[in-house]
Amino acid sequence: MNVLFVCLGNICRSPSADGMLRKKLAEHGLDEKVTVDSAGTGDWHIGKAPDQRSQAAAAARGYAISNLRARQVVAEDFDKFDYVLAMDKSNIENMKEFMPSGKVRTQPELILERFGNDKSITEVPDPYYGGEEGFQTVLDLLETACDNLVLELKQKLA
Ligand code: 4NP
């Protein structure tokens, strides 16, 4: 199985989800069975490490994301990955530009619509232009979603 997280810049939300899911999978002994990646729809930060604020917030919760490097979504992603999980609705809209015209294996979904506990919250807000609390909100929302995703993967791989 393989999971792709997608946001705009691939330097805040999706790399945070990437590092978080890797750790949770390892804790459940699933790290050999599931591969995790992240990408952005924008091209501004390709090759860059995650934003320092995301690195610090993730590290404080035990998630290592410093070694991740940003990449842009590519057409092959929609056939390669079992899950393509977007942070917000604009990511889904922006991904259409990259999707092959024919049938794809995996349609992108909003991570919180699929794996969130509070169905009234459907998007992980972009923290880039805000303050520190935005980075904590991102991690809070992703913790629940990644826990629910791990449970599903565990069942599917049992
Ligand atoms: P992300 O956050 O999509 O969570 O990585 C952003 C990072 C950079 C920009 C926007 C959002 N930017 O405009 O450069």
Side-chain angles (χ1 to χ4, degrees), residues 7-15 44-45 91 126-129:
C7 63
L8 177 59
N10 192 210
I11 56 167
C12 297
R13 292 166 292 174
S14 62
W44 316 287
H45 303 286
N91 304 147
D126 183 349
Y128 190 68
Y129 292 106

Side-chain angles (χ1 to χ4, degrees), residues 10-23 38 48-60 62-70 135 139:
N10 192 210
I11 56 167
C12 297
R13 292 166 292 174
S14 62
S16 300
D18 184 329
M20 182 185 285
L21 183 63
R22 283 171 201 256
K23 180 161 191 215
S38 64
K48 301 255 181 66
D51 187 286
Q52 290 295 333
R53 298 166 294 174
S54 286
Q55 287 192 38
Y63 304 119
I65 64 168
S66 310
N67 290 337
L68 299 176
R69 293 294 176 267
F135 290 84
L139 294 176

Side-chain angles (χ1 to χ4, degrees):
M1 299 288 276
N2 43 53
V3 179
L4 179 68
F5 295 109
V6 176
C7 63
L8 177 59
N10 192 210
I11 56 167
C12 297
R13 292 166 292 174
S14 62
S16 300
D18 184 329
M20 182 185 285
L21 183 63
R22 283 171 201 256
K23 180 161 191 215
K24 290 181 186 293
L25 289 168
E27 287 167 356
H28 286 80
L30 293 173
D31 47 323
E32 305 267 286
K33 293 184 172 171
V34 184
T35 60
V36 185
D37 196 4
S38 64
T41 59
D43 62 3
W44 316 287
H45 303 286
I46 292 171
K48 301 255 181 66
D51 187 286
Q52 290 295 333
R53 298 166 294 174
S54 286
Q55 287 192 38
R61 296 196 193 194
Y63 304 119
I65 64 168
S66 310
N67 290 337
L68 299 176
R69 293 294 176 267
R71 74 164 175 92
Q72 195 170 26
V73 170
V74 292
E76 295 74 37
D77 287 332
F78 303 97
D79 287 313
K80 177 176 172 193
F81 288 90
D82 299 289
Y83 296 85
V84 178
L85 299 173
M87 299 294 144
D88 66 35
K89 291 172 186 163
S90 72
N91 304 147
I92 302 243
E93 196 56 35
N94 292 337
M95 267 190 268
K96 290 178 182 163
E97 185 188 325
F98 299 91
M99 288 179 76
S101 49
K103 192 170 160 45
V104 295
R105 179 169 152 217
T106 306
Q107 288 290 335
E109 303 171 88
L110 286 173
I111 183 171
L112 295 185
E113 274 192 351
R114 180 77 186 269
F115 294 109
N117 280 351
D118 181 347
K119 294 299 173 197
S120 70
I121 306 175
T122 56
E123 302 187 289
V124 181
D126 183 349
Y128 190 68
Y129 292 106
E132 166 58 24
E133 73 284 358
F135 290 84
Q136 297 304 327
T137 302
V138 167
L139 294 176
D140 291 342
L141 291 168
L142 290 176
E143 294 272 12
T144 311
C146 284
D147 284 342
N148 290 335
L149 173 55
V150 168
L151 286 178
E152 179 169 304
L153 289 168
K154 208 169 185 173
Q155 284 174 352
K156 285 195 170 177
L157 292 165

